[in-house]
Amino acid sequence: MFKRVGVIGGGQLAWMMGEAAQKLGIELIVQTPSATDPAVSIASHTIFASVTDAIATQELAQQCDVITFENEFVDLEALSQLAAQGVQFYPTMEAIAPIIDKFEQRTYYQKIGVPTPQFLAIDPATVNPDQWGDLNPFGFPVVLKARRHGYDGYGTFICKDVAEFTAVLQKAEQNWLLEEFVPFERELAVMAARSPSGEIAIYPVVESEQENQVCRRVYLTSALEQGVREQGAREQVEAIAHTLLTQLNYVGVLGIELFLTGDGKVLVNEIAPRVHNSGHYTLDACATSQFEQHLRAVCGLPLGSVAMTCTGVVMVNLLGFENSELNYAEQRQRLAAIPNAHIYWYGKTQSRVGRKLGHVTVLFRHGESRQETEHVAQTIERIWYPASPI
Ligand code: ADP
């Protein structure tokens, strides 16, 4: 079993691995640029460097048994060279390579038979601007995505007409992924884990709600579980998770975001080779959190149980709504007074609009209805956001 884990990236995802690492007797060594990054406080040692700095990663490798990621925006080529020299990465470079570029990700799904929206790659630089409209065969609305480095909706544009479409293309000279707009009924997400020996554990399917392409809330209720089951969606999601984990020969936790269509079909939107925002609820609602599960998998420990310890849960992200250096102690105190609430505050020193500053999870123990969970989410957001939400 590995005991020293290097983590590339020191944000809240690495920070939330801290408690599990302590429980499992694992040392975390973090590579992250700034002393104020959340995970610096839980790391036994930090290498202060950008996440793309492969020389720093080489130094990191000397101090640990295995290296993992909380951030996939790494220098794949340079890290592949380190892997060739014997550095152990989990997930491996081969597992991450098909995921980094959103167009290649969709192409890969097609190749392995995982359902995905219709898509194509476009390079507006090769076409006369007055013919840009012809680049879209899907009709409107249509979705344009930056092929690389998009996250939290940055780089994703839903265009309602040709004017918006050409305006986005004009903004940046780059290659785009163009895809059909899926009029989904709901967005689902699932966390799935695989160990080096091929053991697989799949968490319950949750519903996630986004606003302006950013995740705002995650729900898991007995009603949702039942509905998802009835539509056969849970089976589809599990089959997709199995296929992805085994085809990628994946080790660690994989975040999978999906669309559920009105006729009960499940399509993969995207996957993240790491722990994920839609799995934060597992910290309080499951026997093994996604963070512990990830460390178990990359260290070669047996996977833990993914059983729920309650009947339902709602998780609400606390997003920044202004530029400030406040720590919002008063709001946090009020949130903590909500029955069965667990507050996670990431300790970021700067708040910006849309930045993830923390999250709140509320547990239910008695077959709660969807309305009840929505009501709790509204209460949280009324306390957190000033008069009108962002
Ligand atoms: P990011 O990688 O920045 O998180 P996503 O590709 O996940 O961006 O898109 C963010 C959100 O935008 C999704 O959760 C969904 O609400 C919406 N979205 C993305 N692609 C589509 C699509 N093809 N059809 C409809 N909505 C979409």
Side-chain angles (χ1 to χ4, degrees), residues 8-41:
I8 302 186
Q12 65 267 19
L13 299 178
W15 175 69
M16 284 185 269
M17 289 177 194
E19 208 178 290
Q22 211 168 31
K23 174 179 161 191
L24 298 171
I26 288 167
E27 209 181 310
L28 294 181
I29 302 113
V30 171
Q31 173 180 338
T32 199
S34 160
T36 57
D37 289 341
V40 174
S41 65

Side-chain angles (χ1 to χ4, degrees), residues 52 91 122-123 142 164 258 268 283 285 311 322 342:
T52 54
I122 59 171
D123 177 4
V142 76
E164 276 188 14
L258 314 109
V268 173
L283 277 169
T311 57
E322 60 184 356
H342 300 254

Side-chain angles (χ1 to χ4, degrees), residues 102 143 145 150-154 156 179-182 184 187 210 213 259 269-270:
K102 287 190 177 193
V143 185
K145 295 181 179 179
Y151 73 102
D152 284 351
Y154 301 111
T156 292
E179 62 186 40
E180 65 170 319
F181 176 85
V182 179
F184 54 80
E187 288 191 80
Q210 340 283 322
Q213 284 94 58
F259 299 130
N269 175 25
E270 68 169 351

Side-chain angles (χ1 to χ4, degrees), residues 305-327:
S305 158
V306 295
M308 297 275 295
T309 54
C310 54
T311 57
V313 59
V314 59
M315 190 284 310
V316 178
N317 277 332
L318 304 177
L319 302 179
F321 47 81
E322 60 184 356
N323 291 337
S324 99
E325 291 176 8
L326 294 175
N327 71 4

Side-chain angles (χ1 to χ4, degrees), residues 257-276:
E257 295 179 275
L258 314 109
F259 299 130
L260 176 64
T261 64
D263 55 358
K265 283 205 196 72
V266 171
L267 305 172
V268 173
N269 175 25
E270 68 169 351
I271 61 178
R274 51 175 168 78
V275 287
H276 193 260

